Amino acid sequence: MLQRTRNGRVKTVLVAGGAGFVGSHLCDALLARGERVICVDSYITGSQDNIRPLINHPKFRLIEKDICHLDRIDEPLDQIYNLACAASPPQYQADPVHTMMTCVAGTGNLLSLAEQQRASFLQASTSEVYGDPVQHPQTEDYRGNVSCTGPRACYDEGKRAAEALCFDTLRAGKVNARVARIFNTYGPRMQPSDGRIISNLLVQAISGAPLTIYGSGEQTRSFCFVSDLVAGLMALMDVDPNPGVPVNLGNPGEFTINQLVDMVLAMVPSTSVVVHKPLPEDDPQRRRPDISRAKELLDWQPTIPLAEGLRLTAEWFIAAARPDGGFDGAQVTRRSTWRRRAKAGRTAIGV
């Protein structure tokens, strides 16, 4: 249904991180609803391929920019989604200072823009704010078990700080801010090299490489298909009145990594063997969302079971593979460039 403002103008929505995995699907859904979309992305972890079909869309505009150095937007905005941050450990640990600053300075810039434009704001937070949780499943009232000095802290604490900024501006009456705590999400357009567990296993199975399990494989995760997540994000942005509290978005189905490996091998014919490696520092042992709040406030819950979503994702990865089973991708080059800049002390901060 076409979304319009009170004066009859078609809504304009800014999606920061709109060329990323989740962001590009959100851009698709907003355009399908008839809204104008401004995609802001630095391509540090996003991909031009994700938004290539949208470039000539009459209601789509692309701005290549880091949100840490966001320029003035020269047109009215009605909503701002902030999905702009590296989201997997290999990506956000590649330049941890930039990750933290994206969460804090970048979010601050977007909140200031929302205040100037009187635009509603949605912050894509993360289940990582719960750290390695003691409470299970995790409710939004749980305050977490997070290391503030470990290798994941740039992301975990950065996202916690971003949430604090959002709720401070909300309490001050400056911005109509909402916060979604996103649990593991998967689907087409995941980067083959992003380091997420599902993309790792599918790429390894398709290419015939050993399937890597970190630790015993008995640690658990919950996996939400990307279309379900996008529906939840849009529902949270649109709900009135503002809930005024964070909302978990994820699929409460819980699987061990060993179960996930068995599903991948049953779905993708492969000669791969399973290898075990040490568990990374601060890696959570159990992760499962309590989505009671999302059900009550948004009338939302996921509809795609893991078996179906994994099949759709596997089909996408198989189609993207080269004949030899390998994978191409500008993403690897972009991230390598980022690492070189970081080592030289020339991250996007202050450039």
Side-chain angles (χ1 to χ4, degrees), residues 14-70:
L14 185 147
V15 180
F21 158 50
V22 174
S24 61
H25 285 280
L26 177 60
C27 289
D28 287 344
L30 292 168
L31 289 168
R33 201 165 69 169
E35 300 176 7
R36 293 195 67 253
V37 173
I38 299 174
C39 168
V40 177
D41 207 294
S42 63
Y43 293 131
I44 289 176
T45 59
S47 170
Q48 293 179 348
D49 290 339
N50 290 341
I51 56 170
R52 198 177 306 280
L54 306 179
I55 294 298
N56 294 320
H57 194 291
K59 292 183 179 178
F60 181 80
R61 175 185 173 190
L62 173 64
I63 299 175
E64 186 174 351
K65 196 71 177 178
D66 189 322
I67 62 168
C68 291
H69 308 283
L70 191 62

Side-chain angles (χ1 to χ4, degrees), residues 8-296:
R9 177 176 54 80
V10 173
K11 279 187 177 180
T12 299
V13 183
L14 185 147
V15 180
F21 158 50
V22 174
S24 61
H25 285 280
L26 177 60
C27 289
D28 287 344
L30 292 168
L31 289 168
R33 201 165 69 169
E35 300 176 7
R36 293 195 67 253
V37 173
I38 299 174
C39 168
V40 177
D41 207 294
S42 63
Y43 293 131
I44 289 176
T45 59
S47 170
Q48 293 179 348
D49 290 339
N50 290 341
I51 56 170
R52 198 177 306 280
L54 306 179
I55 294 298
N56 294 320
H57 194 291
K59 292 183 179 178
F60 181 80
R61 175 185 173 190
L62 173 64
I63 299 175
E64 186 174 351
K65 196 71 177 178
D66 189 322
I67 62 168
C68 291
H69 308 283
L70 191 62
D71 296 327
R72 183 180 180 87
I73 303 296
D74 57 357
E75 59 182 292
L77 299 174
D78 300 291
Q79 296 178 340
I80 297 173
Y81 289 84
N82 181 21
L83 284 74
C85 187
S88 69
Q91 291 177 334
Y92 65 65
Q93 291 171 0
D95 188 346
V97 175
H98 184 270
T99 297
M100 176 66 80
M101 295 305 292
T102 299
C103 291
V104 179
T107 300
N109 287 341
L110 290 173
L111 284 167
S112 295
L113 179 62
E115 182 181 3
Q116 294 162 13
Q117 295 266 11
R118 297 184 180 179
S120 297
F121 182 91
L122 188 145
Q123 170 67 16
S125 190
T126 172
S127 59
E128 295 293 338
V129 301
Y130 301 123
D132 187 5
V134 177
Q135 182 192 93
H136 191 80
Q138 294 82 56
T139 66
E140 293 90 346
D141 294 331
Y142 178 54
R143 296 187 177 183
N145 177 34
V146 178
S147 167
C148 63
T149 59
R152 301 170 75 106
C154 59
Y155 186 69
D156 300 5
E157 296 286 35
K159 288 291 189 176
R160 286 161 71 101
E163 286 196 15
L165 280 172
C166 290
F167 286 111
D168 282 340
T169 57
L170 176 63
R171 283 188 289 266
K174 295 180 177 181
V175 178
N176 181 13
R178 297 120 191 275
V179 171
R181 290 180 178 165
I182 299 172
F183 283 67
N184 289 61
T185 304
Y186 70 101
R189 302 182 197 163
M190 298 177 78
Q191 290 289 346
S193 58
D194 68 6
R196 290 179 170 96
I197 181 63
I198 284 183
S199 53
N200 274 358
L201 292 176
L202 286 174
V203 167
Q204 290 167 348
I206 292 166
S207 63
L211 271 63
T212 305
I213 294 179
Y214 294 94
S216 68
E218 288 304 299
Q219 64 270 35
T220 66
R221 295 293 184 271
S222 300
F223 302 102
C224 185
F225 193 66
V226 64
S227 62
D228 281 333
L229 175 64
V230 166
L233 292 173
M234 294 171 68
L236 178 55
M237 176 64 94
D238 293 341
V239 70
D240 187 27
N242 185 336
V245 289
V247 177
N248 287 340
L249 294 179
N251 192 317
E254 185 178 9
F255 298 85
T256 68
I257 301 304
N258 288 328
Q259 288 175 314
L260 179 63
V261 168
D262 290 342
M263 292 177 71
V264 167
L265 288 175
M267 198 168 293
V268 180
S270 178
T271 58
S272 296
V273 297
V274 174
V275 298
H276 287 261
K277 293 187 177 181
L279 196 67
E281 184 178 350
D282 296 332
D283 195 62
Q285 289 299 302
R286 301 184 76 187
R287 188 65 63 74
R288 177 189 172 196
D290 182 313
I291 60 169
S292 301
R293 183 174 288 176
K295 289 180 179 179
E296 178 184 353

